[in-house]
Amino acid sequence: MHQNSNAKAPAMTQAEFDKARQIYFERCAGCHGVLRKGATGKPLTPDITIDKGTDYLKTFIAYGSPAGMPNWQTSGEFDEATVDLMARYIQQDPPTPPEFSLEDMEKSRKEYIAVSARPKKKLNNYNINNIFSVTLRDAGEIALIDGDTKQIINIIKTGYAVHISRLSASGRYLYVIGRDARLNLIDLWMEKPDNVAEIKIGLEARSVETSKYKGWEDKIAIAGTYWPPQFVLMDGDTLKPQKIVSTRGMTVDNEYHPEPRVAAIVSSHQRPEFLVNAKETGKIFMVDYTDLKNLAIKQLDAAKYLHDGGFDSTRRYFMTAANASNKIAVVDTKEDKLAALIEVGKTPHPGRGANFKDPKYGPVWATSGLGDESISIIGTDPKGHKKNAWKVVRTLEGQGGGSLFIKTHPKSNNLWVDTTLNPDAKVSQSVAVFDIRDLSKKPQIIDIAACADLKDDGAKRVVQPEYNQKGDEVWFSVWSAKDKQSAIVVVDDKTRTCKTVIKDSKLVTPTGKFNVYNTQHDVY
């Protein structure tokens, strides 16, 4: 990547440009795009930013917005000088990164322990089903935490800012992928679970998944990149790359897009297929993995910009957010067709969403969002509750915009909603919890950051509720800057009271948490 300064932009030295480019990758590209064309976040190309001016941009970067833009300066993440640096940087022409080939991937691949040398049976006494894979964002690590004892099993080196952890169908292998496109394969059968293979699949990434259809368990892995805009299919146990597919092409509006980043990837339970979201084009790739040499792909037109999503409770219908369109797309994975496009609140951001039985409307799936306080409840039972299917049957009011994740569990009566990116510290440090049995009641607001009892002045943003295997505990990350103390807070789901606080100097910027059993079986 190289500097290509816009003549109308504020001056920057090469050293300033290089520093800002790294910060942009680490903090901004995930929402605004490598080429700054926007998606979940607004476009930041010079034709827009130069007219806004440095002072306006500095204010927006410093204070954020209720629609989900983090308040980088007032939260303590950036100082005044860094805010000024980034305001000047986004007025320059965006540098174009290089491509990344199958050969580049293979050169980066490392197989630390050959398949033949790996355990033939589980060698540890851990309850693997209740292990949590916890992202340590700025450390470039994950923490494996024993959900029964709350003790750290191992801290494992991974890519920077791991976005998701996914389990193989058997539950043995854990796949984690960093924003820097480094993919690690961890064997949970080892005496002390650790890396057995890794590969770099590009320059920026966010998604990984493995084959789950009967007869194909653990055989194929897939990972998608933000840059280059493509996805790669690999051998599930060695990460040897086999096939690259570009996502560049026409949008659902019939316009060419050079950077359709790969967002959510899920593995179908109905067919030997992966579902791959091409964010900017609004298209969903249905990838048949039975023949990697002669790959068969069907494309569905959904809406822009596709982001995260998960299955309904039957694991037949894939519910996925189209951020810019304020819609949820519903894919019938049994029939391989788009079942519905549903209008919801502003900038939906469900994570995997939340499935439960509404006392009035039957089986439903829920999403919160970045853009407003609304929580949309969608009917998901076209057979038993046909008139409610693929409609918003309720809209709940949460604390505000900036929500990243919503979560419940089949054994719970609670629906938990975070507001991680809300600029109001009182809101970002707490969560709202609704009673599923009576959704007319206002939510209870719980100050999770206060439970953590952190002594410094960090941001203490609360992010991603995640249940344990039994469904009687909810884990939250209290996320502060890398030079501040963070923690994991475990809440008793029945009493809604803080149960345990996990603190350790090794828990640097914990964010996403993934329970092995729930992730393996798509329980959410």
Side-chain angles (χ1 to χ4, degrees):
M1 299 171 70
H2 60 280
Q3 183 174 2
N4 183 16
S5 296
N6 191 299
K8 297 180 181 179
M12 295 190 82
T13 66
Q14 184 67 48
E16 285 180 322
F17 188 90
D18 291 342
K19 180 180 179 181
R21 182 182 62 198
Q22 184 63 27
I23 293 171
Y24 181 84
F25 162 72
E26 292 179 353
R27 302 296 184 189
C28 315
C31 286
H32 297 285
V34 174
L35 301 181
R36 304 211 303 263
K37 292 183 179 294
T40 306
K42 294 181 181 298
L44 296 175
T45 45
D47 58 310
I48 297 169
T49 55
I50 288 174
D51 288 343
K52 296 289 186 184
T54 302
D55 288 341
Y56 172 90
L57 296 170
K58 284 167 64 175
T59 300
F60 200 69
I61 294 168
Y63 295 100
S65 78
M69 171 69 178
N71 50 324
W72 293 110
Q73 184 174 328
T74 56
S75 68
E77 291 280 352
F78 289 178
D79 58 20
E80 189 174 345
T82 303
V83 170
D84 176 74
L85 178 74
M86 298 311 295
R88 287 184 288 131
Y89 174 76
I90 60 176
Q91 295 176 74
Q92 316 294 326
D93 288 336
T96 302
E99 301 296 320
F100 212 81
S101 68
L102 205 66
E103 183 180 5
D104 293 328
M105 295 180 195
E106 180 58 26
K107 285 179 181 177
S108 75
R109 189 172 66 94
K110 301 172 184 175
E111 199 170 337
Y112 297 114
I113 301 177
V115 174
S116 60
R118 296 176 197 170
K120 302 297 186 288
K121 61 180 181 179
K122 188 165 82 81
L123 299 182
N124 59 63
N125 294 319
Y126 298 116
N127 173 15
I128 288 179
N129 282 335
N130 204 33
I131 288 176
F132 286 75
S133 173
V134 179
T135 297
L136 305 182
R137 188 187 191 280
D138 294 311
E141 298 170 333
I142 63 155
L144 293 182
I145 301 180
D146 187 325
D148 295 341
T149 66
K150 314 300 189 288
Q151 299 298 307
I152 296 174
I153 295 169
N154 198 11
I155 302 288
I156 300 174
K157 290 300 296 181
T158 62
Y160 169 79
V162 163
H163 191 272
I164 58 172
S165 299
R166 286 291 181 262
L167 273 298
S168 65
S170 68
R172 172 179 181 170
Y173 288 117
L174 174 68
Y175 298 77
V176 297
I177 191 161
R179 282 280 312 285
D180 56 1
R182 180 175 165 185
L183 172 59
N184 290 79
L185 178 63
I186 296 163
D187 189 348
L188 298 178
W189 280 12
M190 294 169 65
E191 187 173 354
K192 188 175 185 180
D194 209 336
N195 284 316
V196 292
E198 73 170 59
I199 190 172
K200 188 170 173 62
I201 62 163
L203 298 182
E204 185 181 2
R206 73 177 308 278
S207 297
V208 65
E209 183 60 287
T210 65
S211 50
K212 292 182 177 179
Y213 192 69
K214 188 175 181 180
W216 288 90
E217 297 93 333
D218 297 21
K219 290 186 177 181
I220 308 292
I222 182 173
T225 44
Y226 270 16
W227 191 272
Q230 61 193 31
F231 56 89
V232 58
L233 295 112
M234 300 161 280
D235 293 340
D237 53 2
T238 65
L239 303 184
K240 183 174 179 60
Q242 299 290 351
K243 190 83 168 183
I244 290 176
V245 178
S246 172
T247 56
R248 289 183 172 101
M250 307 305 288
T251 70
V252 291
D253 299 326
N254 293 315
E255 297 175 350
Y256 178 77
H257 200 289
E259 188 197 1
R261 297 172 290 169
V262 175
I265 304 175
V266 296
S267 185
S268 173
H269 297 273
Q270 309 293 326
R271 296 167 178 257
E273 284 182 339
F274 294 119
L275 284 74
V276 180
N277 279 355
K279 183 186 283 279
E280 280 77 8
T281 59
K283 292 177 182 279
I284 301 171
F285 289 70
M286 315 287 285
V287 183
D288 183 328
Y289 51 73
T290 57
D291 183 355
L292 298 189
K293 187 173 182 180
N294 304 292
L295 204 61
I297 298 176
K298 179 178 180 178
Q299 289 188 43
L300 302 180
D301 281 6
K304 298 186 300 189
Y305 295 127
L306 294 170
H307 195 59
D308 274 346
F311 288 105
D312 79 308
S313 59
T314 68
R315 301 191 304 184
R316 172 174 174 172
Y317 297 97
F318 176 47
M319 316 283 291
T320 187
N323 292 146
S325 305
N326 303 325
K327 289 181 171 67
I328 296 296
V330 182
V331 178
D332 183 344
T333 63
K334 186 174 181 179
E335 301 292 337
D336 264 13
K337 66 181 183 180
L338 191 72
L341 278 174
I342 307 162
E343 293 276 354
V344 292
K346 189 175 181 182
T347 322
H349 194 288
R352 288 167 286 177
N355 289 300
F356 59 94
K357 286 188 177 180
D358 185 287
K360 183 176 180 180
Y361 300 106
V364 295
W365 180 91
T367 179
S368 55
L370 286 164
D372 62 25
E373 72 283 353
S374 69
I375 298 156
S376 300
I377 313 297
I378 298 169
T380 60
D381 183 16
K383 288 188 177 180
H385 298 78
K386 187 175 181 179
K387 67 178 182 178
N388 301 327
W390 320 136
K391 297 176 183 176
V392 175
V393 295
R394 291 183 192 267
T395 301
L396 308 179
E397 184 175 331
Q399 290 197 84
S403 176
L404 290 179
F405 299 103
I406 185 169
K407 192 62 65 74
T408 188
H409 189 277
K411 296 180 180 178
S412 174
N413 294 315
N414 293 324
L415 178 66
W416 300 85
V417 186
D418 69 21
T419 35
T420 312
L421 297 185
N422 194 287
D424 184 335
K426 185 178 179 181
V427 176
S428 67
Q429 294 177 8
S430 61
V431 298
V433 54
F434 293 84
D435 186 340
I436 291 170
R437 297 166 297 184
D438 185 0
L439 291 167
S440 65
K441 294 193 302 186
K442 288 188 175 181
Q444 180 182 352
I445 308 302
I446 301 176
D447 190 340
I448 299 294
C451 295
D453 192 28
L454 302 178
K455 302 302 182 185
D456 60 35
D457 59 350
K460 304 174 188 174
R461 298 183 188 277
V462 174
V463 62
Q464 202 212 21
E466 178 77 352
Y467 276 86
N468 64 344
Q469 182 192 3
K470 291 181 180 178
D472 59 6
E473 292 178 353
V474 192
W475 291 38
F476 294 91
S477 297
V478 182
W479 169 24
S480 286
K482 61 184 177 183
D483 60 345
K484 305 291 184 181
Q485 188 180 32
S486 295
I488 303 292
V489 172
V490 181
V491 176
D492 185 296
D493 184 66
K494 186 175 182 180
T495 64
R496 301 180 176 180
T497 57
C498 298
K499 182 177 180 179
T500 307
V501 178
I502 306 172
K503 294 180 184 177
D504 194 293
S505 60
K506 297 175 184 177
L507 294 180
V508 178
T509 56
T511 51
K513 300 162 299 303
F514 301 87
N515 174 267
V516 165
Y517 182 87
N518 294 336
T519 305
Q520 177 189 357
H521 296 282
D522 290 308
V523 176
Y524 32 78

